[in-house]
Amino acid sequence: MPISHRDLLNQAKGLAVPEEAVFRALVGRAYYACYHCCREWERTLPEPGKTRSSTKGVHQQLIERLQRPDKRCSKDQVKRSEWLARQLGTLRALRLRADYRLDEGISDEEANAQVSLADAVFKRCDWGVKTGRQD
């Protein structure tokens, strides 16, 4: 069921809102948590990946750097980086829909899948950092 911009403001004010507004908030928070997690993980690499000069926006730039890891990265770092890029792209696509396409519904299943995928991203980032290994 679509929502309105008023539903989003009511949510921000802590007022009663349709469940879908909560689902949209979950989608957004899960994405931003992963964006920051992937940025931190990228800092563990010997050198960041490359972006095209035409790429706009820090979010898309991060995804592209993860898609194109530097040649100094180990095979394991390359594999992890490319996987993170794909997942972050998937998370971002639903976040864009949740934030900008209010006429398109977001289901509880989609919100829960977003949170589960975010958890997988965190585990993939944390495993290499905590163990000192990169897969």
Side-chain angles (χ1 to χ4, degrees), residues 23-36:
F23 300 153
R24 287 173 186 271
L26 289 173
V27 164
R29 294 300 86 203
Y31 168 74
Y32 282 109
C34 287
Y35 168 79
H36 290 289

Side-chain angles (χ1 to χ4, degrees), residues 17-55:
V17 295
E19 252 190 346
E20 186 173 337
V22 175
F23 300 153
R24 287 173 186 271
L26 289 173
V27 164
R29 294 300 86 203
Y31 168 74
Y32 282 109
C34 287
Y35 168 79
H36 290 289
C37 183
C38 287
R39 260 186 42 197
E40 284 297 313
W41 179 83
E42 182 189 35
R43 290 184 182 130
T44 68
L45 299 176
E47 192 69 30
K50 306 292 180 221
T51 60
R52 295 173 293 171
S53 60
S54 62
T55 301

Side-chain angles (χ1 to χ4, degrees), residues 18 23 36-37 43 48-49 63 75 77 90 94 119 123:
F23 300 153
H36 290 289
C37 183
R43 290 184 182 130
I63 292 169
K75 287 181 184 181
Q77 289 170 324
T90 298
L94 188 58
D119 189 46
K123 286 177 183 170

Side-chain angles (χ1 to χ4, degrees), residues 2-22 24 98-99 101-103:
I3 65 168
S4 74
H5 56 281
R6 288 198 189 286
D7 294 326
L8 296 175
L9 178 60
N10 286 339
Q11 181 183 30
K13 291 178 178 180
L15 302 175
V17 295
E19 252 190 346
E20 186 173 337
V22 175
R24 287 173 186 271
D99 284 352
R101 298 188 188 118
L102 299 182
D103 59 331

